[in-house]
Amino acid sequence: MKKRILLLAGGQSGEHEVSLMSARSVLGALPRDQFDVTPVVISKQGRWLPPTETQRALESGEAATGGDLVLHRVASAEGYDAVFPLLHGPMGEDGTVQGLLTLAGIPFVGSGVLGSSVSMDKVMTKQVLASAGIAQVEWRLAVRREWQQTPDAVRARAAELGFPLFVKPANLGSSVGISKVGTPDELDGALNLAFGLDRRVILEAMTSHKPREVEVGILGNDAPIASPVGELRFDAEFYDYETKYTEGRATMHIPAPLPPEVAARVQAAALTAFRALDCAGLARVDFFYVEETGELLLNEVNTMPGFTTTSMYPKLFEAAGLSYSELVTRLVGLALEER
Ligand code: ADP
Ligand code: MG
Ligand code: MG
């Protein structure tokens, strides 16, 4: 019997378009002799689109409006063997959709409520990983109310980290809302931008030297494995949205040209992080490697990483001998696994 899969894509976050790109790849890759796949695109307003509108959105790459309230549609999600929530960012990758699917009793690809929500929030991630003994940059938390009522306290907290520093919405991805702040006079603009997107903002120190950016894929549930390590190189101040999604701006190096001992440290730290955060299925764990000092700092854990056929996560496992279509098949298998 073919497995019935519901593929959710789009969604309400700033990564709506990125998700639709990934969904097109996954739709093309789940073997049709094993799976009967139904895509449902979620509009930017959070409503689930019916089939014809879903098709149109997949073709155009965007769905601003339309569709039905999720609670009207979730009953129709019953009868699927598994859901592939190929959604990035808030209202998709952050435990919300995972909670809905858990309540509905439908198995799904990727981390559950706990792993998704903690990994989505860059501050919670840092707190949990610090207690797991993982090295990270220095950071501070600020919340919107504080920024509105006592902005000087927030500015002083930022200054403790020194400049340049990074200001980021705690719960986003694809570099949306992130600023590299070179001098104190750029700080307010960066904070206003980040607080416009999230109630929680993380301030992060930079490493003393420009770090190399290395990433590793993790695959599995309670016995996860690590992929080879990859590296991103680009010619920009940092890996911002434009650099990420403009063809030819960044290059992927797989395997990363690293001493084997460093690559092994990356894999070990990523597996520790995956377990500490109670992740499942898949995650891409991103690090800064400071060549001059040998420091390896964990940057973030993405529980639903970019998933087009040319994205880092699938490429990392391809280097390990797992094709894109084998990878998505394996992920559905992990969703159905008894845990
Ligand atoms: P996202 O979840 O949006 O990808 P990241 O935390 O990975 O957010 O930040 C995006 C990019 O910004 C990173 O890939 C890196 O280029 C740069 N960056 C973020 N934080 C730092 C930092 N503390 N030091 C140096 N570069 C950083
Ligand atoms: Mg991210
Ligand atoms: Mg990132």
Side-chain angles (χ1 to χ4, degrees):
M1 265 274 276
K2 283 195 203 178
K3 295 253 180 293
R4 289 192 69 206
I5 307 297
L6 178 64
L7 177 70
L8 294 177
Q12 295 177 68
S13 82
E15 297 176 275
H16 176 95
E17 289 83 355
V18 180
S19 160
L20 290 181
M21 288 193 267
S22 296
R24 278 198 296 262
S25 292
V26 170
L27 261 178
L30 276 168
R32 285 304 136 100
D33 55 336
Q34 294 176 53
F35 300 106
D36 187 2
V37 189
T38 307
V40 169
V41 169
I42 301 175
S43 75
K44 287 184 173 175
Q45 296 175 334
R47 294 175 174 232
W48 292 26
L49 303 186
T52 47
E53 286 182 53
T54 280
Q55 216 43 54
R56 215 173 303 138
L58 282 170
E59 281 156 24
S60 72
E62 184 198 39
T65 57
D68 306 319
L69 282 179
V70 55
L71 283 177
H72 296 167
R73 300 277 298 185
V74 76
S76 61
E78 237 182 322
Y80 285 93
D81 294 296
V83 177
F84 198 141
L86 194 55
L87 300 161
H88 307 301
M91 306 292 184
E93 192 181 355
D94 63 348
T96 49
V97 166
Q98 289 73 14
L100 180 80
L101 296 172
T102 303
L103 281 174
I106 311 166
F108 54 90
V109 171
S111 294
V113 172
L114 179 64
S116 299
S117 60
V118 177
S119 302
M120 185 81 259
D121 187 287
K122 293 184 198 296
V123 172
M124 289 303 291
T125 301
K126 286 207 163 37
Q127 286 171 329
V128 171
L129 295 187
S131 67
I134 295 204
Q136 304 169 95
V137 294
E138 251 208 279
W139 59 275
R140 301 285 186 274
L141 166 70
V143 296
R144 189 185 279 144
R145 195 176 163 81
E146 266 184 303
W147 177 233
Q148 288 162 347
Q149 298 189 343
T150 52
D152 278 338
V154 175
R155 292 183 190 111
R157 203 172 305 151
E160 288 168 15
L161 298 168
F163 293 89
L165 58 84
F166 274 82
V167 175
K168 319 177 186 177
N171 293 273
L172 258 176
S174 289
S175 301
V176 175
I178 295 185
S179 307
K180 180 177 178 180
V181 178
T183 57
D185 57 300
E186 293 167 17
L187 185 60
D188 283 20
L191 285 163
N192 285 331
L193 174 70
F195 278 119
L197 297 164
D198 202 339
R199 195 173 59 80
R200 288 157 63 81
V201 163
I202 187 167
L203 310 159
E204 287 187 16
M206 252 202 92
T207 52
S208 49
H209 302 81
K210 186 172 161 48
R212 287 170 64 180
E213 299 203 23
V214 297
E215 308 191 336
V216 64
I218 303 294
L219 177 65
N221 289 333
D222 294 317
I225 56 163
S227 72
V229 178
E231 178 169 8
L232 284 158
R233 298 220 180 137
F234 48 86
D235 191 15
E237 269 294 307
F238 70 98
Y239 198 33
D240 57 14
Y241 188 93
E242 226 194 301
T243 311
K244 281 182 181 172
Y245 299 113
T246 312
E247 184 73 42
R249 286 286 181 86
T251 51
M252 264 179 335
H253 300 263
I254 303 173
L258 291 170
E261 166 268 325
V262 176
R265 270 163 64 204
V266 169
Q267 290 171 318
L271 284 166
T272 300
F274 189 89
R275 290 197 177 95
L277 293 163
D278 196 35
C279 293
L282 75 165
R284 199 192 71 225
V285 187
D286 301 349
F287 293 83
F288 298 129
Y289 174 56
V290 188
E291 206 162 16
E292 290 82 352
T293 60
E295 256 179 314
L296 183 67
L297 304 164
L298 194 149
N299 174 34
E300 64 156 347
V301 178
N302 297 287
T303 53
M304 192 52 75
F307 222 102
T308 69
T309 48
T310 57
S311 298
M312 180 63 104
Y313 183 88
K315 285 286 175 199
L316 289 171
F317 278 102
E318 201 178 289
L322 207 58
S323 74
Y324 189 90
S325 131
E326 287 165 343
L327 177 62
V328 288
T329 303
R330 178 84 68 94
L331 286 171
V332 173
L334 288 166
L336 296 170
E337 197 173 81
E338 195 72 42
R339 294 188 66 202

